[in-house]
Amino acid sequence: MSHQEGLTAYIAAFVAELSKTGVRDVVISPGSRSTPMALVMAEHPDLRIHIQVDERSASFFALGIAKATRKPVALLCTSGTAAANYYPAVIEASISRIPLIVLTADRPHELRDVGAPQAIDQIHLYGKNVKWFVEMAPPEKTEDMIRYARTVCGRAAATASSYPQGPVHLNFPFREPLIPVMDENLFELSERVGGYVEIVTGHLSLSDQTFAAISQDIESYTKGIIVCGQLDNSEFTDEVIALADRLQFPIVADPLSQLRSGEHDGHHIIDAYDAFLRNEDAKEALKPDVIIRFGAMPISKALTIFIKENRTARQFVVDSGDGWREPTMSASEMLYCDEALFCKKISEVVSPTGKSDYLQKWLTVNELAKEQLSAISQVEELSEGKLFQQLTEKLPEGSTLFVGNSMPIRDLDSFFLLNKKNIKVMANRGANGIDGIVSTALGVASVSQPCYLVLGDLTFYHDLNGLLASKLYNIDINILLINNNGGGIFSFLPQAKEPKHFEKLFGTPLDLDFRHVVEMYNGKYDLIKDWEQFSETFAKNQELGGLKVMEIRTTRDSNLKEHRDLWNSVSREITTMLKGDTK
């Protein structure tokens, strides 16, 4: 038997099993050492192949597909630094719990650490940022090795998919010659044609006795709040709203919790907390005696501080992923249970609560804050905050809104408030980086339409290569580019008080004309001059396909003043109202 026959049989068995596990999307970056795997994958009729020449863009594009579909996506690259370029996306996938199957080709063992070209140490390349690593055995066509390839594949897909979801890494050493033998029966399996091994996993739960005890504890408190961070659980919304109604607790809803949009009545939803939790009087009046928290840590620093300041309250953190999403060191109980199931079980046990003055106080403060924040709609000049207020009105039903980090995600938190539309809100909030945002959003857009991306100029610049995916695959995406010529978030941080080196080190103005790069990728570019033009262009672009970029130029100083004026307005009104209540 020739080397190439063994190579082909081994890889074909792996790829056939990959399809059997339900993987449909594979993102490939061209390279020599990965040739056999790439050719065999391209031959499989049930795999969708996406080619991305830049490995960093490729990995974030795959991340976006996996975020949108909630299913594992395979990534393939050649040996050497190509694999290292996957690292940022692997980190994001790990923290954000996104299933990726990372496949790296490698030099065979005899060509490692001997000065061979394009050879680096790829063993455990991603360290603890993957759930599982396997150094694959060299390809052979024996029955046991075919079973091995299929078994590892099934285990990798199951590991990536099981809670908490995340990336796995398989490293394949390939010897030359690298060209497989492509015949008509390439994917024919001699045994277990439906899949070699079925791996069944379940959701975490608690005993009935534990649910009963927790319910009894929660019932003993009258001042409770439910905090919901980023969470992707289709059953959670209805169950947590039912629980809040049963307990008469307010739901402090991060925009990534998916609770600010939808058909629910929204009666318990608190969405303006980032503004009013900066006020000491509000924080004192709203002190809870119990906090139930779901999902990742919220975006709002003001909310995080509020949680820290209330360590004397009983604090339950519920996590279906068996993790430790608790940087505040405030939790009194870590409960490893499916979030929707937890809400359902507690709702079944606790007694209905009557009208709550504490809930009403949260709702009153929230409404007062929203009234003050609504002044943003009257701003005549182009404004970063007003953009998100406008999006609440203008986004079409069923949209996906992807938001970049730094200032855009914070303005989303402040100004994208409760609405009745079915809008999915997404972001890369695992490592909170600005790299790969364009590619991730395009990955989302490839499977979820219509898709809108809002990001800043530094974030856009960081991933201009990612725009190639729209050109190659004619992916429809609407990009709203906020250009304040630098790092706007730093104006809000202590660094701004060091003016001597601020612009050089933190402001970092780019002074770039992005029109040229958009047109290079066959995109439609519009420089927005006022809100009337924004409305007209936004509406027109909904009828067009491909890449559309609307650039909205703002100034960092005006943005800082606008935010502080609004926060001060909220604070004054709340203090006046609360002090009036105590007279």
Side-chain angles (χ1 to χ4, degrees):
M1 181 189 305
S2 71
H3 158 73
Q4 285 169 282
E5 288 176 331
L7 176 74
T8 305
Y10 180 91
I11 293 174
F14 180 89
V15 172
E17 194 67 26
L18 192 67
S19 174
K20 299 293 183 184
T21 66
V23 171
R24 290 293 172 264
D25 292 282
V26 179
V27 182
I28 299 175
S29 295
S32 176
R33 190 60 52 168
S34 54
T35 293
M37 183 74 79
L39 285 174
V40 172
M41 284 178 158
E43 193 71 14
H44 199 288
D46 296 329
L47 295 179
R48 291 187 290 263
I49 305 299
H50 312 267
I51 304 299
Q52 285 275 57
V53 296
D54 180 327
E55 283 84 9
R56 189 176 76 162
S57 293
S59 57
F60 278 104
F61 185 78
L63 181 83
I65 297 174
K67 282 173 79 80
T69 62
R70 305 178 188 174
K71 295 180 180 179
V73 174
L75 264 170
L76 173 66
C77 72
T78 190
S79 62
T81 56
N85 281 304
Y86 282 169
Y87 211 160
V90 169
I91 291 171
E92 178 64 29
S94 176
I95 302 174
S96 290
R97 302 178 175 180
I98 306 299
L100 292 180
I101 302 174
V102 182
L103 311 174
T104 56
D106 201 355
R107 291 292 196 263
H109 298 75
E110 66 272 15
L111 292 181
R112 298 177 186 175
D113 200 23
V114 293
Q118 206 169 321
I120 66 170
D121 185 355
Q122 296 178 199
I123 307 302
H124 292 287
L125 179 62
Y126 307 117
K128 295 182 179 179
N129 293 293
V130 292
K131 295 179 67 178
W132 190 44
F133 168 76
V134 179
E135 163 73 344
M136 295 295 289
E140 295 179 19
K141 197 183 177 180
T142 63
E143 290 184 359
D144 276 350
M145 290 308 290
I146 297 300
R147 291 177 184 133
Y148 164 79
R150 295 182 65 187
T151 300
V152 171
C153 181
R155 185 178 172 188
T159 302
S161 300
S162 62
Y163 289 90
Q165 294 183 318
V168 297
H169 176 205
L170 310 183
N171 193 58
F172 286 83
F174 291 143
R175 292 189 176 93
E176 296 180 352
L178 298 169
I179 306 301
V181 180
M182 310 289 276
D183 60 39
E184 293 181 359
N185 301 317
L186 190 61
F187 302 108
E188 190 174 276
L189 299 171
S190 60
E191 58 181 342
R192 301 186 188 178
V193 296
Y196 195 76
V197 56
E198 182 179 357
I199 301 172
V200 180
T201 60
H203 295 290
L204 286 173
S205 184
L206 305 172
S207 69
D208 289 342
Q209 292 87 345
T210 302
F211 279 124
I214 292 170
S215 299
Q216 188 173 9
D217 283 346
I218 292 173
E219 277 187 305
S220 67
Y221 299 105
T222 58
K223 296 180 179 180
I225 65 172
I226 298 171
V227 177
C228 296
Q230 180 174 343
L231 188 62
D232 194 2
N233 182 329
S234 58
E235 300 174 355
F236 177 70
T237 296
D238 289 342
E239 296 297 347
V240 75
I241 288 174
L243 176 63
D245 187 58
R246 194 85 169 170
L247 296 171
Q248 289 297 290
F249 285 4
I251 301 174
V252 182
D254 183 274
L256 299 178
S257 69
Q258 312 308 325
L259 288 165
R260 293 197 190 178
S261 299
E263 295 298 324
H264 57 82
D265 62 25
H267 176 67
H268 294 273
I269 301 297
I270 305 297
D271 50 1
Y273 54 83
D274 185 66
F276 67 73
L277 287 180
R278 299 169 187 271
N279 177 278
E280 294 301 323
D281 294 317
K283 290 198 288 185
E284 180 62 29
L286 301 173
K287 283 178 68 70
D289 47 27
V290 63
I291 300 173
I292 307 172
R293 189 159 67 74
F294 300 96
M297 280 304 297
I299 295 163
S300 170
K301 186 174 182 179
L303 176 55
T304 299
I305 291 172
F306 182 70
I307 292 171
K308 286 181 179 180
E309 290 174 342
N310 285 281
R311 288 196 178 101
T312 56
R314 191 82 173 272
Q315 297 203 23
F316 298 91
V317 177
V318 183
D319 184 7
S320 62
D322 192 17
W324 200 269
R325 289 172 153 177
E326 222 305 81
T328 70
M329 295 181 287
S330 304
S332 52
E333 278 97 347
M334 301 293 289
L335 305 174
Y336 294 143
C337 179
D338 179 82
E339 293 87 355
L341 178 63
F342 178 88
C343 294
K344 180 178 174 61
K345 289 289 189 179
I346 299 298
S347 294
E348 290 174 350
V349 178
V350 297
S351 302
T353 303
K355 184 177 179 181
S356 166
D357 292 337
Y358 181 70
L359 169 61
Q360 190 56 49
K361 187 171 289 188
W362 271 91
L363 295 173
T364 300
V365 171
N366 191 62
E367 281 305 310
L368 184 57
K370 289 172 74 169
E371 287 176 13
Q372 299 305 307
L373 290 174
S374 67
I376 196 75
S377 65
Q378 304 304 315
V379 173
E380 294 185 0
E381 65 181 9
L382 293 177
S383 154
E384 299 177 27
K386 183 172 179 177
L387 173 61
F388 283 94
Q389 181 267 336
Q390 290 283 297
L391 287 176
T392 309
E393 301 174 2
K394 296 184 182 302
L395 284 175
E397 178 71 19
S399 298
T400 296
L401 174 62
F402 201 102
V403 182
N405 286 319
S406 296
M407 274 311 300
I409 195 73
R410 288 166 175 83
D411 283 333
L412 172 83
D413 196 7
S414 295
F415 300 106
F416 191 82
L417 303 177
L418 187 66
N419 61 86
K420 293 292 185 180
K421 294 180 179 177
N422 179 28
I423 297 172
K424 178 84 168 181
V425 183
M426 305 179 78
N428 281 352
R429 290 302 289 175
N432 298 1
I434 66 170
D435 46 347
I437 298 295
V438 173
S439 296
T440 308
L442 279 163
V444 170
S446 71
V447 294
S448 181
Q449 285 291 328
C451 185
Y452 294 79
L453 167 63
V454 184
L455 76 175
D457 54 304
L458 292 185
T459 303
F460 192 53
Y461 169 76
H462 244 266
D463 195 23
L464 290 176
N465 285 1
L467 294 173
L468 181 62
S470 180
K471 179 178 182 291
L472 288 178
Y473 301 108
N474 195 32
I475 299 172
D476 294 348
I477 190 166
N478 297 275
I479 298 179
L480 305 176
L481 168 60
I482 301 170
N483 188 351
N484 55 30
N485 202 24
I489 187 63
F490 292 105
S491 298
F492 292 78
L493 301 179
Q495 293 93 317
K497 297 179 181 178
E498 304 294 333
K500 182 177 180 181
H501 300 295
F502 179 78
E503 276 299 285
K504 180 179 180 180
L505 296 177
F506 305 105
T508 55
L510 300 181
D511 296 312
L512 292 176
D513 184 350
F514 289 107
R515 175 188 296 273
H516 304 299
V517 73
V518 173
E519 293 176 347
M520 181 176 76
Y521 289 109
N522 294 346
K524 177 182 180 291
Y525 170 90
D526 289 284
L527 177 61
I528 302 302
K529 301 293 180 61
D530 53 44
W531 291 113
E532 182 179 359
Q533 183 196 0
F534 171 78
S535 296
E536 293 174 354
T537 306
F538 192 93
K540 289 179 181 177
N541 282 352
Q542 291 183 39
E543 307 301 321
L544 302 175
L547 169 66
K548 292 91 64 178
V549 176
M550 298 168 61
E551 181 175 342
I552 300 161
R553 292 181 182 171
T554 64
T555 62
R556 283 179 266 138
D557 290 344
S558 296
N559 185 51
L560 177 64
K561 182 179 184 302
E562 179 179 271
H563 281 71
R564 286 182 173 168
D565 286 348
L566 284 169
W567 291 333
N568 289 336
S569 176
V570 169
S571 188
R572 281 194 305 270
E573 293 300 318
I574 287 175
T575 294
T576 299
M577 184 270 288
L578 290 174
K579 287 185 175 180
D581 283 351
T582 61
K583 291 180 180 178

